[in-house]
Amino acid sequence: MKLQMSWILAAGFNLLLASPAWSYKCPDGSKDGISSVGLSTASTFSDENREAALPATIFMDRTGDLYPSASVPVDRNQFVSVGHDKFKAGRLKEYFRQIAARDKTILATLSRDAGMKDVAVSEFSDAFWEDYQAARRMQIGAEVQQLASGAATQQPRPVVVLVHGYRNSYCDAQTWYRPLTERLRAIDPDVRVIELYWDGLAGGRFVTLWTRAQWNMPLVGVGLRRVINDIPAQIPLRFVGHSSGLPMLGSAFGDASQAFLKGCPSPREKRRPGDARSPEYGDTGLPDGCKPASAAFLQREGCYYYRVRGVACPRTAQFDKDTYRFSERHDLRLAGIAPAASPDTFYRYAPESRFPLSRIALATNPRDSATAKYGYGSLACKAFGSSCLSVMPELAFKTLSNAYGASNTTIAVWNFDKSDGTQTPRVFPYWTTRHSVEGWSQNSLFEPFLRFVLTDEIPAEGSDAVQIKLGG
């Protein structure tokens, strides 16, 4: 009871301090901030942000659609309040649909932006938008290929994609993207880094934002999968997600729908070779016996439950085609720092329903302030959306090991609370540690964690701080 009251007081303290992030200068000199239409709104990205961004930077809205280049301006106030409709707000497609209703030249502008040839359209349509997004994905793929080329060995350079969590603006993410990039290059000078920015929501209302942001994560994740499919397969990709960036990536790399369902049959303790991996799916795309955690999400975004399995949604099959498939890749690795995710995120990661990940690395700590909800271990991590994957190392390792069974995926779960060197800095209350990447990077385990992600090194087995499952 005392612990629960402490968490309530700490969360209340956080809410009192929370305030809207007004415009200010980012590390790269561009202006950042949140639209003034409300405290909790889309964490949009300004024209200045996109203009100042590094090559191959990826900007995505809350549905997983790609932003245009900086040459196409986006009115952020109008963008986050399209038609004063919460469903349409913060969606690039709806924003440009509204713009096109009064300015027909925007269609030609978008077409030129994506390098679309021989496009002669007079009205905005879903078909035009899908063609535009497909062209933008091809542009991103070409930019990544250019970024990865030129290694001395003639092999593509490894590319690391950094992914922030919710409640991060462009400036917020830069505060750890840039320092982490330097650490990665110190380990492997050949590595190239891409910064990914997605609308996980931002603003002052900490608790309510988390609940809303959870319904952005899956949409952005499956949208990112389409981008990955247009990146040449021979390029080694490493994705490093912080906090809710990890569950977002869960929908990009496998069937993470279990985390958004309820009432499902109890999962088996362990999968064995020959087990039936995929249950029957009903007309709604949901596994039999399961219900959506949000009826509104199913009504409006039900296609997610098809797409996350790599299957075209019946009502949008003409657009989906095979862009949500799981394609073969040369070397794909996934890493999560303080992953604010439910263990169910990886439950349906059967071999036929996910990307072939060669390595998975999780950095966990039962004392992390945000994912432990200012509690300790498993006592509070389920409040306001489960984030137990970050604060229950044993469960995280068991979940991943069961999901990947006898596959060739090597799994390593670090418990930063067990480090024998520098501990992640403490915050108030005294039993919790900082949630930021900056805080975690001061732990002595952070360097071997990064080396596992970038190199072929394997941590020593038997350590209290690391649990290992070797692939093969």
Side-chain angles (χ1 to χ4, degrees):
M1 183 65 181
K2 291 182 179 179
L3 185 61
Q4 189 177 36
M5 182 58 68
S6 297
W7 180 86
I8 293 173
L9 291 173
F13 183 69
N14 181 290
L15 290 174
L16 287 174
L17 292 179
S19 61
W22 307 110
S23 293
Y24 57 96
K25 288 287 186 179
C26 301
D28 65 8
S30 64
K31 289 183 179 180
D32 187 25
I34 301 169
S35 172
S36 59
V37 298
L39 286 178
S40 329
T41 185
S43 177
T44 55
F45 310 108
S46 70
D47 299 341
E48 280 194 46
N49 296 157
R50 290 179 288 128
E51 186 174 359
L54 300 172
T57 299
I58 301 172
F59 292 94
M60 307 186 81
D61 75 0
R62 68 187 185 96
T63 68
D65 280 343
L66 292 167
Y67 270 70
S69 70
S71 65
V72 182
V74 175
D75 184 319
R76 300 171 77 193
N77 284 340
Q78 185 176 350
F79 176 45
V80 299
S81 58
V82 176
H84 302 287
D85 185 322
K86 290 183 179 180
F87 175 69
K88 296 179 180 179
R91 295 173 179 243
L92 286 166
K93 180 168 74 171
E94 299 305 326
Y95 168 78
F96 282 108
R97 190 194 304 276
Q98 186 180 70
I99 297 296
R102 62 175 185 270
D103 180 8
K104 302 299 182 184
T105 64
I106 191 62
L107 301 178
T109 300
L110 290 170
S111 298
R112 288 193 300 270
D113 177 60
M116 299 165 67
K117 297 180 179 179
D118 303 323
V119 175
V121 292
S122 57
E123 298 292 337
F124 187 95
S125 66
D126 290 346
F128 168 80
W129 183 252
E130 286 297 323
D131 289 342
Y132 172 72
Q133 284 295 307
R136 286 287 291 135
R137 292 194 296 271
M138 290 181 63
Q139 285 182 325
I140 294 292
E143 290 174 3
V144 176
Q145 184 175 22
Q146 178 65 28
L147 194 69
S149 65
T153 61
Q154 300 303 311
Q155 296 297 318
R157 292 184 171 97
V159 174
V160 177
V161 182
L162 303 181
V163 183
H164 61 76
Y166 98 109
R167 213 164 178 259
N168 274 207
S169 67
Y170 179 78
C171 282
D172 294 332
Q174 276 199 351
T175 60
W176 68 268
Y177 278 3
R178 301 301 163 87
L180 183 57
T181 295
E182 294 305 312
R183 293 194 66 161
L184 294 171
R185 287 176 176 167
I187 296 172
D188 182 0
D190 227 20
V191 76
R192 294 296 179 263
V193 176
I194 292 175
E195 299 177 349
L196 188 151
Y197 298 92
W198 63 286
D199 181 8
L201 299 182
R205 286 178 264 181
F206 177 72
V207 174
T208 58
L209 271 181
W210 166 249
T211 303
R212 290 174 54 203
Q214 284 185 297
W215 303 109
N216 285 17
M217 298 172 199
L219 301 181
V220 178
V222 292
L224 178 60
R225 184 187 302 171
R226 303 174 95 183
V227 177
I228 295 171
N229 281 333
D230 274 332
I231 295 175
Q234 69 272 20
I235 297 177
L237 293 178
R238 290 87 172 88
F239 287 80
V240 179
H242 172 241
S243 193
S244 55
L246 191 278
M248 185 274 274
L249 290 170
S251 291
F253 298 135
D255 183 355
S257 63
Q258 181 77 8
F260 305 97
L261 300 173
K262 62 181 181 180
C264 297
S266 299
R268 286 164 293 188
E269 279 296 307
K270 188 174 180 63
R271 289 182 173 135
R272 296 177 176 84
D275 280 352
R277 300 299 182 111
S278 299
E280 294 296 323
Y281 289 82
D283 294 338
T284 60
L286 274 64
D288 286 347
C290 298
K291 297 179 181 179
S294 168
F297 184 83
L298 176 62
Q299 181 180 3
R300 291 177 169 175
E301 308 293 353
C303 281
Y304 163 77
Y305 295 106
Y306 290 95
R307 293 167 176 169
V308 75
R309 292 186 284 121
V311 179
C313 182
R315 69 171 184 261
T316 58
Q318 60 175 321
F319 304 132
D320 291 3
K321 299 177 182 178
D322 62 349
T323 58
Y324 293 98
R325 71 190 185 281
F326 295 94
S327 60
E328 292 295 324
R329 298 210 60 86
H330 175 66
D331 185 5
L332 183 62
R333 301 183 184 186
L334 171 63
I337 303 170
S342 162
D344 289 340
T345 300
F346 294 96
Y347 170 58
R348 298 194 182 278
Y349 265 45
E352 72 276 8
S353 64
R354 57 167 169 76
F355 272 120
L357 294 169
S358 56
R359 287 194 177 189
I360 300 177
L362 293 185
T364 68
N365 192 335
R367 299 179 186 271
D368 183 75
S369 58
T371 52
K373 307 299 192 299
Y374 291 100
Y376 183 85
S378 62
L379 296 180
C381 65
K382 292 184 178 180
F384 302 104
S386 174
S387 52
C388 297
L389 199 68
S390 177
V391 299
M392 300 176 68
E394 297 289 339
L395 177 60
F397 182 75
K398 179 180 179 181
T399 299
L400 289 171
S401 298
N402 288 352
Y404 280 86
S407 73
N408 291 322
T409 303
T410 294
I411 296 167
V413 175
W414 274 259
N415 182 354
F416 275 43
D417 197 39
K418 295 283 189 178
S419 65
D420 55 7
T422 305
Q423 293 287 326
T424 308
R426 295 286 192 266
V427 297
F428 176 82
Y430 69 91
W431 61 78
T432 62
T433 61
R434 291 170 61 185
H435 181 63
S436 66
V437 175
E438 179 188 12
W440 281 65
S441 68
Q442 297 178 46
N443 193 290
S444 60
L445 291 177
F446 197 70
E447 186 75 10
F449 170 78
L450 293 182
R451 297 190 71 85
F452 177 80
V453 176
L454 288 184
T455 71
D456 292 331
E457 293 182 13
I458 300 292
E461 294 188 71
S463 167
D464 290 337
V466 185
Q467 291 178 281
I468 297 291
K469 171 197 170 296
L470 298 177

